[in-house]
Amino acid sequence: MLLIPCPHCGPRPETEFVYGGDARVKRPDPENSTDEQWTSYIYARDNPKGQHQELWLHNAGCHLWLIVERDTVSHAIGSVRAVREGQQ
Amino acid sequence: MTTSQPNRTTLGGRLIDRTQIKNFQFDGRSIPFHPGDSIASALLASGRSVVGRSFKLHRPRGVYALGADEPNALVTTGSGPTLTPNQRATIIPVEAGMRVAGQNAWPNVQVDLFGLLDRVRPLLPAGFYYKTFMWPPSQWLRYERQIRKMAGLGPPPTEADSAKYAHRNAHADVLIAGGGPAGLSAALAAGEAGQDVILAASGQALGGGLLNQYHQAQDAWLAETITKLKALPNVRIMTMTTVVGAYEHNLFTLSERVVMRDGRMEGQPEERFWQVRSQRLIIATGGIERPLLFGDNDRPGVMLAGAASGYIWRFGVLAGRSPIIAGADDRIYKIARDFIDAGANVRAVIDLRDDPGAMADLLAADGVRVERGAMIVRAHGRHKVRAAEVWRISEAKPRLLELISADAILTTGGFGPALQLHAQARGKLSWDSGLRAFVPADNPDGNVSIGGARGSFNFELAISEGANAGRDEPLPTLCSQQAPSVHAPWDLPRLSKRPRFVDFQNDVADKDIELAAREGYRSIEHVKRYTTLGMGTDQGRAAGPMGLALLAAAIGQEITKTGVTTFRPPTTPVTFGAVAGATKGELGHAIRRTAADGWHAAQGASFIDAGLWRRPRFYKANGATVGEAYRAEAKAVREKGGMIDVSTLGKIDVQGPDAGIFLDKLYTNRISNLRLGRGRYGLMLREDGRIFDDGVVFRTGEDRFHLSCTTGGASAVYQHIEYALQVLWPSLEVYVTPVTEEWFAVAVSGPRARDLLTALLPGLDVTNSALPLMGMLETTLFDQRLLVMRISYSGELSYEINISADWGAALWRRLSELASDLEIIAYGTEAMGALRIEKGHITHAEADGRTTPDDVGLGSLVDKKKDAIGVRSLSLPVFSEAGRKQLVGLVVDDGAATLPIGAQITVDDQGATPRPSLGHVTSWAYSSELQRTIALALIKDGKRLIGERIFIVSPVMGESVAGKVVDPVFIDKEGSRLRA
Ligand SMILES: [Zn+2]
């Protein structure tokens, strides 16, 4: 079971979190996107072996959505930060 | 008493207390034992050879091994509420008065009538059941029931388990799995370095393999090390504890059996299930002894040689009084001397090697028969070994030497490392050609294997590796300690037609693996499932490597290419009770109760789970059955009025200067233009255009909104909202708080609803102009803030009254008192369901994760002029194609028919099958108002089919009901009652 270091709450077990998918996927402008671009945003996901940037919600904790760097092979976790931090 | 323990010897017995003799029951007979015995050692001491029957062929089986690798001696302990099947007799300490039963036999293991199956063994090859009983499909259930009865393990308990189980959590710097020399040495080094250490040892005593032998210097080291460890406060020693699982980020699970020495203390659990997060794991789980392969190698009396000498030194038990010992390394001579010292008459030592050297010569010089370049070809004897067929194989043509009589055949093919934890921790393996075994090839996440678990089957190596590992220093390079012997334990000529079993528990013989190879199986994972190789409780500890080697040989492949099967937790069986711990019965899952739960229970509510909540489904006063009750309740709501506890609906408070803009992005319709104190029904979509949730939004302040959502969707909706806010639109200034628990809510519905509201709040203007549909009033009751929202789910004049949850019980009680004068009753979710079906309102049965707003007739709620989650997807061509399923209503010809569960809709119910399904019934009820059965359904192009005849069918149940497609709103299409 993963141990995810929440920047707000400290290291917490995976069961407190909800997985939110690939953090690199960005929502395209719905007005100016083709059907292909839009469906790719909804359905197409990479399945990388190794480093991955993932969204995790600390659901049983502070309710922050986090960007977690995780190695999909070793499960090693790199940086963890709140999504909001980078964007505001 | 010694007469009843014919195989007890005065030598050894370091784990037992010979001064005491107690008794337990095996298959109804009293068997003596010494405290410290395992069930297996006590049975062996009493001369009991047959202790179980095999899974498929019901062949008699005896004790074979010493520990968790035991494939045969599975027993059932206890009875009634303490009955526990499939326990390995080799690891369960026997307790006075314990009731133990052999398994998988009728009437008992000695005289098993199903044993006749073995006579037809050639007819029962691998995959027999798959090949034979699959047709016709309608008969499979019948075959399966019979097969289950005959092939099986212990009986399942029929009563609730009376034992207590506990869960524990711990943290450590170092967790050490294994209490042998390597593990002890590691624990001492880590402990002396000041680390927090947990040492988990599977047995009752520390020492591991050292307990299976006598060695003065090593025994002294063991005693001294244990003394030092016990003096270290930072070392926790846990006996009867096995590390069963290795998970990500060094979380480990441990299964601890609490041993009753002198009666278990009141309230003490039988087992504890531990979760340990440790910086490091040191794997010191030792090796697994491998047998030699020969015909009828499963007969009672055939045992692993190392295990057999372990029984002497641990328990003072002779596995045979006149044994034959066979193998291909010098240990067989040491084991022969153990038996001789213990008073046995060793009939012969059979060495596969042509020229074994000095140890063989010395033993022969002492007058023991030693056969070099020879092997055992088959065992004779059915319920007990009588003799061994010994052949000379060193010459060009193998020849029978002699049928040597013996009461036990003890074989060893050396050891392989116990790889379970290493592999579970995603460690890699490499093939060691000297050991003829897979060995750990890396240290996954820094978790290191030492001693036998690494392939170092040598005391000095084990303790030096332990010391290094304990201090977190690198280990010396692994070098194979022995040159490969001439014969691998599985690579022996087949000189007998008798089956050579690879997996005893599942009756898998070498021929079954060869058959699988001939039939085209190449992957060991497929062969495992086809033959059931290694799928028993011993988890293929002994069978696995041999099975791999045989498959590799059968398909002419290198064993390294064949690979190994995946190792999954647990390494050894864990009882369900231990996994469940205290979370059973009432504590099985949390129950959320509304503030009025006590009233509901007192009034005879029958409850139903709604997520974690429990809600009244109906009140028993309104009918003897759920059907009667909901019809009466729904009728009352339509004719007079009803009240229902709706506190479980999710409620979310949204505030901030950008709240309106934000909600426009969450809901398909516009929310930002709501007037203060007004509400609107809103739909939320997933980004792929499917309906996610629905509910009513009220504007309770200039920058503040009160959202409601479905009971089941509440937590997912909140996560979704936080995602939208934090990930998609982080620049908006909005604050979101889930407030479901803060409010108690009751919906009052029906023609007399306004009368009840007036009675509750005398003097308050609740006329249509003051409180119109989708309007809201704020007032006080009991000095508390009270929100009255005029919304309706039932289709009647209806108010939802909200108050602080602390005052919910009081509000409900007041309302129910006032309601009785008006003949307004409390109703449950079943009646609510019938009322909403009459109105064509959707729930998750219709918004099933596939439907769009258009599909369920709510397309008008989508404002395409603004961006909201999911709206862009609705313009994808797929959603406007013909043939989409649409929400319709159904009525049936036979007005009161009940509809089959999971019913499909077809145009016809005659003629050829399969008939294409147009769709399915999503919900149905008996409408008290229309006095007929009505249903909602999702049907292909349903809106065009209104008026058409259809059949509601269940091919599974063999049912068919004729009916007609109608509009999904059955009553009050204009909504005049809502506005009354
Ligand atoms: Zn947190």
Side-chain angles (χ1 to χ4, degrees):
Chain A
M1 194 200 302
L2 302 180
L3 195 63
I4 300 173
C6 172
H8 186 267
C9 311
R12 296 289 173 155
E14 185 185 334
T15 45
E16 292 187 3
F17 294 82
V18 169
Y19 182 64
D22 191 333
R24 299 164 309 168
V25 173
K26 294 284 172 270
R27 190 173 192 263
D29 176 3
E31 297 276 310
N32 299 302
S33 53
T34 63
D35 284 356
E36 284 70 24
Q37 286 166 333
W38 186 256
T39 50
S40 160
Y41 154 62
I42 294 171
Y43 298 110
R45 292 294 180 273
D46 293 336
N47 184 16
K49 184 176 182 180
Q51 285 302 315
H52 197 212
Q53 300 230 330
E54 300 173 336
L55 288 170
W56 289 82
L57 168 68
H58 195 189
N59 192 46
C62 60
H63 283 289
L64 283 177
W65 275 97
L66 307 173
I67 296 177
V68 177
E69 275 181 16
R70 184 179 67 99
D71 187 306
T72 60
V73 178
S74 69
H75 294 299
I77 287 181
S79 79
V80 179
R81 63 177 174 86
V83 181
R84 281 191 145 164
E85 238 167 64
Q87 290 172 317
Q88 274 185 333
Chain B
M1 280 308 257
T2 47
T3 50
S4 57
Q5 299 196 58
N7 292 337
R8 195 70 77 174
T9 160
T10 52
L11 188 72
R14 65 208 308 167
L15 300 187
I16 55 167
D17 174 4
R18 291 178 192 269
T19 64
Q20 295 187 60
I21 296 183
K22 296 183 175 178
N23 288 278
F24 75 107
Q25 301 267 316
F26 182 77
D27 278 348
R29 288 210 191 151
S30 182
I31 309 266
F33 72 94
H34 294 303
D37 264 323
S38 67
I39 294 174
S41 69
L43 290 172
L44 282 172
S46 73
R48 182 88 196 195
S49 55
V50 181
V51 300
R53 290 272 172 168
S54 67
F55 189 80
K56 186 167 96 174
L57 301 172
H58 289 256
R59 288 167 68 96
R61 296 280 167 80
V63 175
Y64 186 74
L66 192 59
D69 51 340
E70 174 61 45
N72 290 343
L74 297 188
V75 295
T76 297
T77 61
S79 62
T82 64
L83 184 135
T84 312
N86 311 328
Q87 307 232 63
R88 280 150 302 167
T90 49
I91 58 173
I92 305 290
V94 66
E95 298 173 8
M98 197 179 209
R99 291 173 62 174
V100 182
Q103 293 187 167
N104 196 25
W106 185 85
N108 59 52
V109 293
Q110 279 302 345
V111 195
D112 173 19
L113 293 180
F114 289 139
L116 293 169
L117 276 174
D118 188 33
R119 304 275 167 85
V120 294
R121 182 185 47 77
L123 304 178
L124 299 172
F128 170 74
Y129 293 109
Y130 300 126
K131 290 166 182 165
T132 312
F133 292 111
M134 285 311 287
W135 203 258
S138 59
Q139 290 300 303
W140 168 246
L141 287 176
R142 181 184 297 177
Y143 295 138
E144 208 233 359
R145 202 173 303 141
Q146 195 56 32
I147 292 167
R148 286 241 178 270
K149 199 190 290 176
M150 285 162 53
L153 294 164
T158 53
E159 291 176 41
D161 190 349
S162 62
K164 244 184 100 172
Y165 302 90
H167 283 181
R168 289 285 181 276
N169 294 289
H171 288 82
D173 294 325
V174 190
L175 171 65
I176 298 165
L184 293 170
S185 166
L188 186 60
E192 286 180 339
Q195 302 248 281
D196 273 326
V197 178
I198 295 178
L199 174 70
S202 302
Q204 292 192 72
L206 297 173
L210 299 183
L211 302 174
N212 299 343
Q213 57 166 25
Y214 171 72
H215 189 293
Q216 203 170 6
Q218 292 175 11
D219 287 352
W221 177 89
L222 174 61
E224 190 189 326
T225 305
I226 291 173
T227 309
K228 284 183 187 164
L229 281 173
K230 289 196 169 155
L232 288 170
N234 49 327
V235 176
R236 184 206 300 243
I237 299 173
M238 297 173 65
T239 55
M240 290 305 282
T241 305
T242 307
V243 180
V244 292
Y247 302 86
E248 299 86 5
H249 294 177
N250 281 7
L251 180 82
F252 305 102
T253 51
L254 279 58
S255 162
E256 178 191 9
R257 191 180 171 89
V258 181
V259 177
M260 183 164 75
R261 273 293 190 178
D262 302 298
R264 186 169 292 114
M265 272 155 52
E266 191 66 33
Q268 216 179 343
E270 204 146 291
E271 291 174 49
R272 294 195 187 94
F273 192 70
W274 290 78
Q275 291 191 49
V276 176
R277 192 76 80 159
S278 175
Q279 297 293 316
R280 295 194 288 139
L281 171 72
I282 296 177
I283 303 167
T285 45
I288 295 166
E289 193 173 20
R290 300 176 300 193
L292 297 179
L293 199 57
F294 55 93
D296 285 334
N297 55 339
D298 64 326
R299 293 306 189 198
V302 176
M303 276 181 80
L304 292 167
S309 69
Y311 277 101
I312 297 175
W313 295 109
R314 285 173 182 244
F315 306 107
V317 169
L318 274 174
R321 296 215 150 256
S322 50
I324 288 182
I325 300 162
D329 65 72
D330 281 353
R331 270 186 326 116
I332 53 178
Y333 300 101
K334 197 162 178 269
I335 291 165
R337 290 203 183 274
D338 288 344
F339 270 83
I340 293 163
D341 293 347
N345 169 22
V346 174
R347 301 303 311 271
V349 176
I350 315 294
D351 200 321
L352 282 164
R353 299 170 296 179
D354 294 347
D355 188 13
M359 295 274 283
D361 301 338
L362 283 169
L363 192 68
D366 286 345
V368 178
R369 178 171 182 181
V370 175
E371 294 293 348
R372 304 167 180 82
M375 64 177 267
I376 293 172
V377 164
R378 77 169 273 204
H380 286 255
R382 182 172 163 77
H383 287 90
K384 175 79 184 160
V385 164
R386 280 188 291 104
E389 220 175 280
V390 179
W391 286 50
R392 170 85 64 224
I393 55 165
S394 54
E395 295 155 16
K397 193 171 160 34
R399 65 182 172 87
L400 174 67
L401 263 180
E402 195 182 326
L403 188 65
I404 303 176
S405 66
D407 64 354
I409 299 173
L410 315 175
T411 77
T412 182
F415 286 84
L419 300 166
Q420 282 85 355
L421 285 176
H422 172 78
Q424 271 189 36
R426 301 182 318 282
K428 293 188 172 59
L429 303 175
S430 62
W431 179 253
D432 182 311
S433 54
L435 287 171
R436 285 204 163 90
F438 283 103
V439 295
D442 60 356
N443 300 328
D445 298 338
N447 298 323
V448 58
S449 294
I450 57 170
R454 189 191 188 209
S456 303
F457 299 106
N458 166 301
F459 174 76
E460 281 75 23
L461 271 177
I463 59 170
S464 83
E465 289 176 2
N468 281 24
R471 287 190 296 263
D472 205 8
E473 290 166 6
L475 300 188
T477 326
L478 179 68
C479 51
S480 195
Q481 287 91 57
Q482 58 190 78
S485 61
V486 183
H487 296 277
W490 45 81
D491 183 19
L492 301 170
R494 177 158 35 210
L495 300 169
S496 153
K497 290 205 170 95
R498 300 299 302 168
R500 303 195 297 180
F501 288 97
V502 178
D503 181 333
F504 290 10
Q505 197 172 95
N506 290 331
D507 286 321
V508 181
D510 57 349
K511 280 186 176 169
D512 294 314
I513 294 165
E514 287 160 18
L515 176 66
R518 278 206 305 283
E519 291 184 351
Y521 289 91
R522 289 296 176 270
S523 151
I524 187 66
E525 294 284 4
H526 293 159
V527 171
K528 168 180 166 176
R529 282 154 185 83
Y530 187 57
T531 61
T532 70
L533 173 77
M535 290 173 73
T537 55
D538 59 324
Q539 307 193 329
R541 273 177 173 73
M546 188 172 277
L548 285 178
L550 291 170
L551 177 69
I555 61 180
Q557 196 178 52
E558 289 284 317
I559 191 165
T560 48
K561 288 222 176 76
T562 308
V564 294
T565 53
T566 308
F567 292 89
R568 292 190 179 87
T571 58
T572 190
V574 179
T575 57
F576 285 124
V579 176
T583 57
K584 60 178 185 178
E586 286 229 317
L587 302 176
H589 71 83
I591 297 175
R592 299 178 76 180
R593 298 164 201 265
T594 73
D597 184 84
W599 189 95
H600 302 319
Q603 297 299 312
S606 170
F607 290 98
I608 189 165
D609 288 341
L612 289 178
W613 292 99
R614 70 168 195 173
R615 303 188 68 181
R617 188 180 181 200
F618 65 93
Y619 295 87
K620 288 167 195 156
N622 299 326
T625 64
V626 56
E628 260 181 47
Y630 89 75
R631 290 170 195 208
E633 289 174 6
K635 187 169 164 21
V637 173
R638 295 259 184 253
E639 290 178 358
K640 288 159 184 159
M643 49 190 269
I644 182 168
D645 184 345
V646 292
S647 310
T648 63
L649 292 176
K651 296 165 197 70
I652 297 169
D653 179 69
V654 177
Q655 306 185 35
D658 298 321
I661 301 169
F662 180 58
L663 293 179
D664 282 350
K665 295 181 178 300
L666 287 177
Y667 288 96
T668 58
N669 43 346
R670 202 172 286 274
I671 305 296
S672 55
N673 60 3
L674 260 180
R675 281 186 289 132
L676 188 64
R678 287 303 167 94
R680 188 166 288 162
Y681 173 74
L683 267 187
M684 282 189 206
L685 305 185
R686 301 191 313 223
E687 193 73 285
D688 67 359
R690 270 76 175 192
I691 299 171
F692 173 53
D693 205 85
D694 63 347
V696 177
V697 186
F698 272 89
R699 185 167 215 150
T700 56
E702 195 47 51
D703 290 339
R704 188 168 189 181
F705 296 82
H706 178 94
L707 277 55
S708 75
C709 53
T710 60
T711 300
S715 110
V717 166
Y718 175 56
Q719 292 166 15
H720 174 82
I721 292 176
E722 285 288 10
Y723 178 87
L725 185 58
Q726 296 182 37
V727 180
L728 298 182
W729 295 289
S731 59
L732 297 180
E733 192 182 347
V734 178
Y735 304 91
V736 181
T737 316
V739 293
T740 307
E741 292 79 2
E742 293 180 21
W743 293 98
F744 175 82
V746 46
V748 176
S749 307
R752 299 181 185 173
R754 189 176 285 118
D755 302 333
L756 181 56
L757 190 62
T758 305
L760 179 75
L761 303 165
L764 190 71
D765 183 3
V766 293
T767 57
N768 265 333
S769 55
L771 184 53
L773 184 64
M774 289 297 176
M776 186 185 91
L777 279 181
E778 191 169 336
T779 178
T780 57
L781 182 72
F782 313 132
D783 285 333
Q784 301 296 311
R785 193 169 161 225
L786 192 83
L787 300 181
V788 182
M789 296 159 172
R790 184 163 168 195
I791 52 178
S792 178
Y793 191 51
S794 59
E796 298 296 320
L797 167 67
S798 180
Y799 303 94
E800 191 185 294
I801 309 170
N802 292 266
I803 196 166
S804 155
D806 292 343
W807 292 85
L811 171 63
W812 180 274
R813 217 177 305 117
R814 170 75 60 87
L815 276 172
S816 64
E817 284 159 15
L818 299 169
S820 63
D821 288 344
L822 296 164
E823 294 176 79
I824 290 175
I825 63 161
Y827 66 101
T829 56
E830 204 71 28
M832 182 182 76
L835 296 168
R836 71 97 188 164
I837 293 171
E838 288 177 333
K839 286 294 291 181
H841 288 159
I842 62 166
T843 65
H844 283 292
E846 290 78 27
D848 61 0
R850 291 175 287 189
T851 46
T852 65
D854 255 342
D855 297 341
V856 296
L858 296 175
S860 64
L861 289 180
V862 181
D863 181 345
K864 295 207 166 148
K865 290 197 285 293
K866 67 178 181 69
D867 173 31
I869 291 176
V871 169
R872 169 65 179 86
S873 290
L874 295 176
S875 61
L876 293 172
V878 65
F879 291 124
S880 42
E881 279 170 7
R884 286 196 66 77
K885 288 186 180 169
Q886 295 169 326
L887 184 72
V888 293
L890 302 176
V891 290
V892 299
D893 295 355
D894 170 11
T898 58
L899 299 186
I901 290 171
Q904 300 292 309
I905 313 295
T906 63
V907 280
D908 203 350
D909 75 339
Q910 303 296 316
T913 55
R915 284 180 284 276
S917 167
L918 296 180
H920 65 281
V921 173
T922 55
S923 357
W924 72 272
Y926 180 82
S927 164
S928 298
E929 173 149 337
L930 303 174
Q931 295 187 23
R932 67 186 306 172
T933 295
I934 58 171
L936 295 176
L938 286 166
I939 299 185
K940 254 180 231 170
D941 298 320
K943 285 175 196 161
R944 283 200 294 110
L945 295 178
I946 285 177
E948 299 287 326
R949 289 191 56 73
I950 46 87
F951 291 90
I952 301 161
V953 301
S954 167
V956 175
M957 307 301 290
E959 290 178 46
S960 174
V961 177
K964 197 172 76 170
V965 181
V966 296
D967 187 87
V969 183
F970 291 89
I971 60 167
D972 191 25
K973 291 194 203 316
E974 322 71 48
S976 56
R977 295 184 197 179
L978 300 174
R979 295 182 176 82

